[in-house]
Amino acid sequence: MKLPQLSRRALQTPASPIRRLSPLARAARAQGKTTLGLNIGQPDIQTPPEFFEGLEQFKNPILAYEISEGNLELRKAWAEFLQRSSAWTIAPEHMLITMGASEALVFLFMLCCDPDDEAIIFDPTYANYMGFASITGVRLRPILSLLDDGFALPSIEHIAERVTSHTRMILLCNPNNPTGTVYSREETQALLDLCEERNIFLIVDETYREIVFDGAKPFSILELAPQSPHVIVVDSLSKRFSLCGARIGCLMTANEEVLQKALNIAQARLAAPTIEQLACAHMLRTISPEFIHGIRNTFESRRNALCTAAAKIPGVKMHCPAGAFYTIARLPVDDSEDFASYLLTTFEDKKETVFVAPAGGFYMESGQGQNKIRIAFVLEEAKLTRAMELMGKALQMYPGRAK
Ligand SMILES: Cc1ncc(COP(=O)(O)O)c(C=O)c1O
């Protein structure tokens, strides 16, 4: 039977590169292998009990819609938590609660760009930005950052040259997924100056804001420019509170027009989930900022274990990340997708193997990810060390090593 035609948007939206090899991992597990999962950014840390306490407090006889801009108590609790933990804050009326950072990003692609308008991103990039651009018809213009430079931002002059009359926004992820790079105040200030000068939006995805290492202080672009109409921050409770399934994020800006138009879009999707919002409000009101310190220390110890173990593998160059829980490593192979498949289908050591994400799906510039992988260090240290040991052994046996 002939199938009805789908939209170009549907046909062009890529599958998630993180999940592409999942069927191979399932098959490996079905054969009794343990797969150490470094492929996906799902923290393994326990969700705070304060969230579950909050869930239990819901006793209303009717589960009604929340207001479209998000529960006011949640916005107040979030703003107060920021004040307690980071010493900066935001007015609750400058926040709009969304279903995760993901929905905030889709809203912003729609709000800031018309179809065929351009958004600048930095390559490699969080792969779902490509999906969001595809479903909203926005053209992404990638600017390459290099492993050998620690994935630092290219010079501001270079970035400025890439802003055209079609550019509507620059999207920065800080700290960065997939590189773990943390951009400095000076770098973000320079981007902000450029955006103000060219009158375009600077959107900063701060999903990993508090996960920074080596004594660095978490920092938001909103500390630099709390009133700038050009700045919009995307935030999320998913990662730093191990709350991925709650689907609670927000966008924050002092730009009243953005807030008003975002609310119109939010009204069309009615509301984010009621009970999760209330539970998050309870959690943010009652949790100690120490929880965040614990998360930061945990990921820093893991980062240290990972980088120490990776440094022992001949031919591997891993970027030592300063934040988030990701990094990119260059391997001595010609095709990292083939190597990642080999790890799952062929290699094993004492019935164990590793599941990594080939980096190709994180790069818009083709070929750049060919010999790289992205690692999410969401396992405890001993497992990370073992995972690197397995990768080293697999690289010795792998027939596709780079010549
Ligand atoms: C950079 C970045 N932004 C946004 C998201 C989406 O987060 P959320 O669960 O809040 O939708 C993720 C999830 O991995 C991410 O890494």
Side-chain angles (χ1 to χ4, degrees), residues 128-295:
N128 282 344
Y129 294 162
M130 299 182 215
F132 302 148
S134 172
I135 59 180
T136 54
V138 174
R139 294 177 197 271
L140 293 181
R141 292 288 175 243
I143 300 183
L144 189 62
S145 65
L146 300 172
L147 191 154
D148 292 323
D149 292 343
F151 295 107
L153 285 187
S155 74
I156 200 69
E157 293 75 23
H158 180 65
I159 299 170
E161 276 168 19
R162 306 295 292 272
V163 177
T164 71
S165 58
H166 301 289
T167 309
R168 295 282 167 267
M169 66 193 211
I170 296 181
L171 171 56
L172 182 74
C173 179
N174 193 24
N176 189 276
N177 175 10
T179 64
T181 298
V182 179
Y183 305 109
S184 66
R185 280 172 193 259
E186 292 70 31
E187 283 172 298
T188 47
Q189 179 71 58
L191 276 185
L192 174 60
D193 293 344
L194 174 66
C195 289
E196 291 190 335
E197 185 196 313
R198 306 294 278 269
N199 203 20
I200 58 176
F201 287 103
L202 174 59
I203 296 180
V204 188
D205 179 347
E206 298 184 358
T207 291
Y208 301 92
R209 187 191 309 112
E210 279 84 1
I211 308 178
V212 287
F213 311 138
D214 307 316
K217 212 170 137 284
F219 130 86
S220 171
I221 185 80
L222 283 173
E223 287 177 62
L224 288 182
Q227 298 306 325
S228 172
H230 295 90
V231 171
I232 311 173
V233 162
V234 171
D235 208 347
S236 166
L237 300 181
S238 288
K239 309 291 174 158
R240 69 188 79 121
F241 291 108
S242 248
L243 268 179
C244 295
R247 310 307 305 128
I248 301 296
C250 74
L251 61 84
M252 303 175 177
T253 182
N255 183 322
E256 298 288 347
E257 190 184 21
V258 168
L259 287 163
Q260 183 53 52
K261 300 301 176 200
L263 179 59
N264 292 352
I265 297 183
Q267 285 171 348
R269 63 72 158 119
L270 302 176
T274 304
I275 302 179
E276 280 78 357
Q277 290 193 62
L278 294 172
C280 285
H282 175 79
M283 179 191 77
L284 289 167
R285 266 197 309 266
T286 52
I287 201 166
S288 154
E290 288 305 314
F291 178 85
I292 298 282
H293 300 163
I295 294 266

Side-chain angles (χ1 to χ4, degrees), residues 7-10 12-13 105-106 108-119 129-141 166 168-169:
S7 70
R8 275 196 305 280
R9 274 197 305 273
Q12 284 164 8
T13 301
L105 285 157
V106 175
L108 291 173
F109 273 83
M110 292 192 290
L111 278 163
C112 303
C113 305
D114 282 311
D116 294 332
D117 281 344
E118 296 179 1
Y129 294 162
M130 299 182 215
F132 302 148
S134 172
I135 59 180
T136 54
V138 174
R139 294 177 197 271
L140 293 181
R141 292 288 175 243
H166 301 289
R168 295 282 167 267
M169 66 193 211

